[in-house]
Amino acid sequence: MARFIPLSIPNFEGNEKKYVEDALAQGWVSTGGAYITQLEKQLAGYLHVPKAAACQSGTAGLHLSLIECGVTPGDLVIVPALTFIAAVNPVRYQFAEPVFMDCDDSLCIDPEKLRRFCENECEQKQGELIHKASGRPVKAIIVVHVFGNLADMEQIMEIAAKFHLKVIEDATEALGSRYTEGPYAGKFAGTIGDFGAYSFNGNKIITTGGGGAVTAREEETVAHMQYLSTQAKDDPLFYIHDEVGYNYRMTNLQAALGAAQLEELDTFIARKHSNYELYQKLFADFPAGKLLGFRQGTWSNQWFYSLELKMDRLTCTLKELIASIQNDGVQTRAVWGLIHEQRPYRQYVAYEIERAPYYSACILNIPCSTQLTKEDISYAAKIIKGCIISRMM
């Protein structure tokens, strides 16, 4: 293989080495140190929120958010069927139960079906939304901004207010995405609902290797999540703990990496936009599919690029196509297996899931790293198009 184009890899061209070496020189490498505080302040400033808490992962941020929402065993939490499973697993950490909701054509949760579920399958009693069939309270909604595309938060927040639901924004793929029109113009993903969680995993738009962050409307709530994330230490000298805590804190080495990465975020997003525009030109009038767009009235970080393929015109499965493209030197991937169809979640409520199976079967994600050159993108598009066209009926 003469050339290989990976799907999504980290980009270290700023102060990453300098800051990490500084953290090493200071000896602060674990769950304490100045870079953690620096990253939290940088992130809060970028998002225009009072406070942000660095944590171990986006999943940890979601779990802490559910705790703060008061989600307890037996409660119901509305979640997308089409997302990465890490958005749903924290519901089970609380011994609560998910209710799976369909997506719309943005790949994000469908607000119309969300409204119908609340109106037709539930009833309001004493300020709570009660699921009629089970008698269980519905406490919260987890909204995932898929691939950096923003969900319809205007409708979702209206529904949440009407039915007394907390909103947790899973912005793990959408750091930097924001609304440009409507009531939330200027607001970033993760800053509209009651809570917002972010991920800095290795394939995200910025990375700390592994790590994440969480924010909330109230500064005191974020402070409490920080407290829980560090084993709930009330007296760190004598090790007194008044609540059950978690080992969810980010390390200073990770934060040093993240502080440098966050300095580059706007540059990375600009490259994502430029690369997406080139892909649009290269896949214009492509007979076997189209490049998915992003919601109008928003400015997306365009983290991932997705081809919607006409699978009925192909002579192979998506799995076979991905293997063939990789053999020719380009890494691609499918979206996700639908969560309500997977073994740990088959017994839970799935409401009118219709669009999600279609997109799960036809989406091909293509290389989107921020260090891709125009030549890389042209090469990747040529290989992908050639593999697909050779398998058309």
Side-chain angles (χ1 to χ4, degrees), residues 12-20 256-257 259-261 263-264:
F12 304 124
E13 56 184 47
N15 289 313
E16 291 85 2
K17 184 177 180 181
K18 175 183 175 182
Y19 292 173
V20 169
L257 191 63
Q261 286 272 286
E263 292 172 352
E264 299 294 312

Side-chain angles (χ1 to χ4, degrees), residues 70-361:
V71 172
T72 57
D75 291 342
L76 301 185
V77 178
I78 298 170
V79 299
L82 183 71
T83 187
F84 182 46
I85 202 166
V88 178
N89 285 339
V91 175
R92 295 299 297 136
Y93 300 167
Q94 288 301 100
F95 298 97
E97 297 185 4
V99 173
F100 291 100
M101 198 61 53
D102 201 11
C103 69
D104 61 17
D105 291 330
S106 72
L107 305 185
C108 302
I109 199 166
D110 185 336
E112 297 300 332
K113 288 184 177 178
L114 173 64
R115 189 187 302 274
R116 283 207 299 272
F117 174 81
C118 294
E119 290 176 345
N120 300 334
E121 305 299 322
C122 304
E123 57 186 350
Q124 295 194 65
K125 289 184 178 180
Q126 298 178 334
E128 279 194 317
L129 187 67
I130 305 298
H131 182 231
K132 294 177 185 177
S134 66
R136 299 177 186 273
V138 185
K139 289 286 186 69
I141 311 163
I142 296 177
V143 179
V144 181
H145 299 296
V146 177
F147 299 153
N149 202 5
L150 291 166
D152 186 346
M153 290 301 292
E154 183 174 353
Q155 284 202 70
I156 290 168
M157 293 304 293
E158 176 195 332
I159 294 164
K162 180 179 179 180
F163 294 102
H164 310 290
L165 300 173
K166 295 289 187 180
V167 176
I168 300 170
E169 289 182 76
D170 181 332
T172 54
E173 301 172 351
L175 178 62
S177 296
R178 67 176 186 266
Y179 294 83
T180 57
E181 298 176 8
Y184 299 117
K187 298 280 284 184
F188 285 93
T191 70
I192 295 167
D194 298 279
F195 301 89
Y198 303 89
S199 173
F200 308 135
N201 195 30
N203 67 340
K204 295 301 191 290
I205 195 161
I206 67 168
T207 185
T208 57
V214 64
T215 190
R217 287 183 181 173
E218 304 297 331
E219 189 170 352
E220 296 79 9
T221 303
V222 182
H224 188 249
M225 289 192 282
Q226 281 181 318
Y227 163 77
L228 292 179
S229 75
T230 53
Q231 299 291 14
K233 295 178 184 177
D234 290 274
D235 186 331
L237 182 62
F238 289 96
Y239 298 97
I240 305 300
H241 308 264
D242 289 338
E243 295 186 55
V244 174
Y246 301 87
N247 185 18
Y248 279 172
R249 195 69 166 134
M250 180 183 285
T251 70
N252 198 49
L253 278 180
Q254 290 174 311
L257 191 63
Q261 286 272 286
L262 192 52
E263 292 172 352
E264 299 294 312
L265 177 57
D266 287 339
T267 298
F268 290 165
I269 293 175
R271 292 182 188 176
K272 290 279 190 179
H273 283 210
S274 177
N275 292 345
Y276 177 76
E277 289 173 7
L278 179 53
Y279 270 128
Q280 277 187 312
K281 293 176 183 177
L282 294 170
F283 281 98
D285 302 318
F286 184 52
K290 65 178 181 179
L291 200 63
L292 287 185
F294 296 90
R295 187 181 297 280
Q296 288 187 345
T298 70
W299 189 83
S300 172
N301 69 2
Q302 299 187 356
W303 174 59
F304 250 34
Y305 313 140
S306 301
L307 278 176
E308 178 187 349
L309 297 177
K310 298 176 181 177
M311 294 305 299
D312 59 346
R313 299 188 62 180
L314 302 184
T315 60
C316 64
T317 65
L318 188 59
K319 184 176 182 179
E320 290 169 339
L321 181 62
I322 290 169
S324 175
I325 294 171
Q326 177 132 344
N327 285 339
D328 284 348
V330 177
Q331 186 180 27
T332 60
R333 56 159 260 196
V335 56
W336 302 284
L338 299 178
I339 302 176
H340 72 290
E341 295 178 348
Q342 302 196 40
R343 185 174 297 173
Y345 291 105
R346 291 172 189 163
Q347 70 269 39
Y348 299 112
V349 175
Y351 183 72
E352 295 186 8
I353 309 297
E354 297 162 328
R355 296 301 289 165
Y358 166 77
Y359 283 115
S360 180

